[in-house]
């Protein structure tokens, strides 16, 4: 088989079982150079386990991983070219931000100029602060900054925007887009649909250890066959056959939106929303439940 | 251009120094300051501890007269041994050095008869004084006290003219409880640094997932462990330096102790480093580690003869002490002053600990790196 020189990661038929629990069950995907791939799924879907197998922290029961078209195991050379941000933050909390950046930079042969990282992640003001005095958002920014400190070719970001306020999230999205524009390949796990939609070239939707759908965000929406989506009170769910109820809200996707609206108005329902389908609706259609 | 490895290592070591030592108030207090405070407390409380103890007197030769004289004094525990030739006496002298006895009295053969004859002929030209040899170690408070008591008893027999006392001083160095306790507190510092310093640092790195975070980089984890050991060794050196200075101010002969102190510190550091790693290979739950630290620390400190001579503790505890590695290294430091309780083979038990621990670490270190769960 001819190798694609643009492929930086190829994962094939990855499996990881813990007793009867199938944490990862036959996962395959590829990441091309300069591509941002999102793995989207609820908690417990197997996203972190997949990422940790790629990072070399867990051993798969089955399957292969090929890094940068050359390596079949995670060697130091591979680690040199990988950037990692864990789901949880782990720091030497008594060090300052600058000392932390220097320390992590020293773990690698290659590194980006620290000034560039500091500016990019908006860390100037907290440089002399000890990490333990940082806010949750500042810590998260630092954690993501550390993933880029070695000028990696492939970056693994595991839920990098959890706990950030909307402003900080959008800032981080801009930074990620910037690195993507520099030709970095990025794998992002998230359960935020808008994040996956905004940033991703490819989205792999994962549930119960399996990838249940994949494609670009638009491809996923289009191929799902979803039309207009109408949300209305769950008390009137009986009005339509293919209604999905989540909490107090009933959701339908219909090619005949005017007809559906008329039926709702006829029975006196006026508090409804009509919108375009999103990745969340795709997930809802595939699994019958919301992602959270 | 690749970075120079030496520079990279220094940055990582510097980070670990700041995190684990320089910016940790607990580490500074417990590992550096506390040993000195403990030394000051112990020397204040137990400085005169030997004044009230029973002294052990070994008497070679037979004498009903002396037996009767000694029997009236509760603080003296005399033990009579059959008359020996000069060669045999050397063994008794070694026992005296090992503190099996506090004082050794060598009577001439047929002491009672010679003494009675001297008593009868004291005013005649046929009078010959009785010669009694008394061996003691004046630098030891207990031995000195025992000697004074024996001399007092001989005085009560009114033997001033008739008994010639030949006094043998086995050592001329000045020594007191401060000299005795100093190696014990150093031993406590070794234990503190490695059980509560190194072990907790390693546990912290593992449980706070720092090992996990660092393991996704190409940096060698063994270097991280080595650096953590170096950080703790530095705190040990600093702690012992301050302690040694204060001990010197308190009159401890630290100059004599120093070579042995340095050597035994390195041996103890090596043994405790690998023992710590071996324990962490088996167990990394905080609760279990804390239990191990406390039990090992307390047993080693109190049963290991750190604060009191081994011979003064109950025999079953002495048996326990013989299985503890730091008992030997502390005793080895004391040997410089002749204050040791163990005669020889000071490094056999520590070596056994070291070899077993190294084997466990080599075969099981991967378990410590296991992040799956």
């Amino acid at each position: 088989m001819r190798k694609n020189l643009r492929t930086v990661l190829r994962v094939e038929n990855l499996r990881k079982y813990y007793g009867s629990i199938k944490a990862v069950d036959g996962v395959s995907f590829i990441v091309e150079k300069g591509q941002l791939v999102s793995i989207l799924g609820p908690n417990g879907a197997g996203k972190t386990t997949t990422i940790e197998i790629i990072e070399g922290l867990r051993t798969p029961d089955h399957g292969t991983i090929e890094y940068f078209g050359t390596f079949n195991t995670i060697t130091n050379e591979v680690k040199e070219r990988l950037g990692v941000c864990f789901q949880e933050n782990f720091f030497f909390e008594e060090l300052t931000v600058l000392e932390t950046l220097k320390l992590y930079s020293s773990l690698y042969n290659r590194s980006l100029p620290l000034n560039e990282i500091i500016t990019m992640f908006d860390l100037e003001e907290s440089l002399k602060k000890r990490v333990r005095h940082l806010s949750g958002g500042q810590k998260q920014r630092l954690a993501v900054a550390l993933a880029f400190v070695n000028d990696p070719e492939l970056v693994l970001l595991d839920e990098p925007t959890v706990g950030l306020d909307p402003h900080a999230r959008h800032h981080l999205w801009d930074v990620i887009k910037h690195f993507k524009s520099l030709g970095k390949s990025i794998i992002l796990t998230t359960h935020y649909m808008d994040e996956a939609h905004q940033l991703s070239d490819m989205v792999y939707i994962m549930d119960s250890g399996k990838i249940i759908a994949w494609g670009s965000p638009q491809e996923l929406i289009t191929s799902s066959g979803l039309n207009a989506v109408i949300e209305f009170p769950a008390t009137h769910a009986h009005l339509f056959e293919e209604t999905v109820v989540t909490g107090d809200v009933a959701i339908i996707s219909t090619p005949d939106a005017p007809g559906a609206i008329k039926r709702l108005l006829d029975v006196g329902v006026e508090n409804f929303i009509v919108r375009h389908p999103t990745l969340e609706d795709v997930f809802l259609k595939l699994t019958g439940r919301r992602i959270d | 251009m690749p970075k120079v490895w030496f520079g990279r290592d220094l940055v990582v070591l510097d980070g670990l120094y700041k995190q684990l030592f320089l910016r940790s108030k607990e580490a500074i207090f417990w590992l550096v300051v506390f040993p000195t405070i403990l030394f000051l407390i112990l020397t204040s409380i137990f400085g005169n501890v030997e004044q009230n103890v029973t002294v052990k007197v070994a008497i070679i030769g037979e004498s009903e007269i002396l037996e009767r004289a000694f029997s009236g004094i509760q603080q003296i525990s005399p033990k009579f041994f059959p008359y020996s030739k000069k060669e045999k006496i050397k063994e008794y002298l070694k026992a005296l050095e090992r503190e099996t006895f506090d004082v050794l009295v060598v009577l001439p053969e047929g002491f009672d008869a010679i003494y009675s004859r001297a008593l009868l002929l004291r005013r005649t030209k046929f009078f010959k004084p009785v010669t009694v040899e008394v061996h003691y170690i004046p630098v030891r408070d207990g031995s000195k006290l025992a000697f004074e008591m024996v001399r007092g008893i001989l005085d009560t027999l009114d033997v001033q003219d008739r008994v010639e006392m030949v006094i043998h001083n086995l050592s001329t160095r000045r020594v007191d409880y401060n000299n005795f306790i100093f190696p014990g507190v150093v031993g406590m510092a070794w234990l503190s640094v490695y059980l509560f310093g190194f072990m907790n640092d390693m546990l912290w790195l593992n449980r706070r997932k720092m090992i996990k975070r660092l393991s996704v980089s190409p940096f060698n984890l063994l270097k991280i462990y080595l650096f953590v050991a170096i950080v703790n060794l530095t705190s040990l050196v600093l702690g012992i330096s301050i302690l040694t200075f204060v001990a010197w101010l308190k009159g401890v002969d630290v100059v004599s102790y120093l070579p042995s102190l340095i050597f035994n510190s390195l041996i103890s550091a090596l043994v405790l480093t690998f023992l710590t790693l071996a324990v962490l290979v088996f167990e990394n739950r905080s609760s279990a580690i804390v239990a191990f630290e406390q039990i090992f620390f307390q047993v080693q400190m109190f049963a290991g003869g750190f604060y009191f001579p081994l011979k003064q503790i109950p025999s079953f505890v002495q048996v326990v002490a013989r299985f503890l590695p730091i008992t030997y290294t502390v005793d080895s430091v004391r040997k410089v002053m002749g204050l040791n309780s163990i005669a020889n083979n000071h490094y056999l038990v520590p070596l056994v600990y070291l070899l077993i621990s190294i084997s466990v670490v080599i075969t099981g270190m991967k378990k410590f790196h296991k992040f799956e769960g």
Side-chain angles (χ1 to χ4, degrees), chain B residues 35-47:
Chain B
T36 299
I37 293 174
L38 183 70
F39 175 76
L40 292 172
I41 292 170
L42 286 171
T43 50
S44 305
I45 297 173
F46 298 114

Side-chain angles (χ1 to χ4, degrees), chain A residues 155 183 198 285:
Chain A
V155 187
Q198 283 278 330
K285 186 185 177 195

Side-chain angles (χ1 to χ4, degrees), chain A residues 249-270:
Chain A
V249 182
I251 300 169
I252 58 160
S253 167
T254 172
D256 179 21
I261 292 167
K262 188 173 180 304
R263 281 182 77 179
L264 286 168
L265 290 171
D266 286 348
V267 294
V269 178
E270 291 179 350

Side-chain angles (χ1 to χ4, degrees), chain A residues 16 52 57-59 79-80 84 86 90 92-95 99 104-109 111 130, chain B residues 3 8 11 15 18-19 23 204-205 208-210 212-219 371-373:
Chain A
K16 182 72 184 176
E52 290 194 346
L57 294 172
R58 293 173 191 264
T59 313
K79 288 179 180 177
E80 196 70 56
V84 172
F86 289 137
F90 311 118
F92 291 110
E93 302 236 327
E94 296 302 329
L95 300 190
E99 287 164 349
Y104 279 82
S105 169
S106 298
L107 301 174
Y108 299 88
N109 277 323
S111 64
R130 291 201 192 170
Chain B
K3 296 172 195 169
R8 289 172 54 190
V11 174
K18 286 171 179 163
Q19 171 66 37
R23 292 180 188 165
W204 180 85
L205 284 172
R208 288 295 306 273
K209 311 280 176 74
M210 290 310 300
K212 182 178 174 179
R213 180 63 186 83
L214 295 169
S215 73
V216 296
S217 80
F219 201 83
F371 304 113
E372 305 203 23

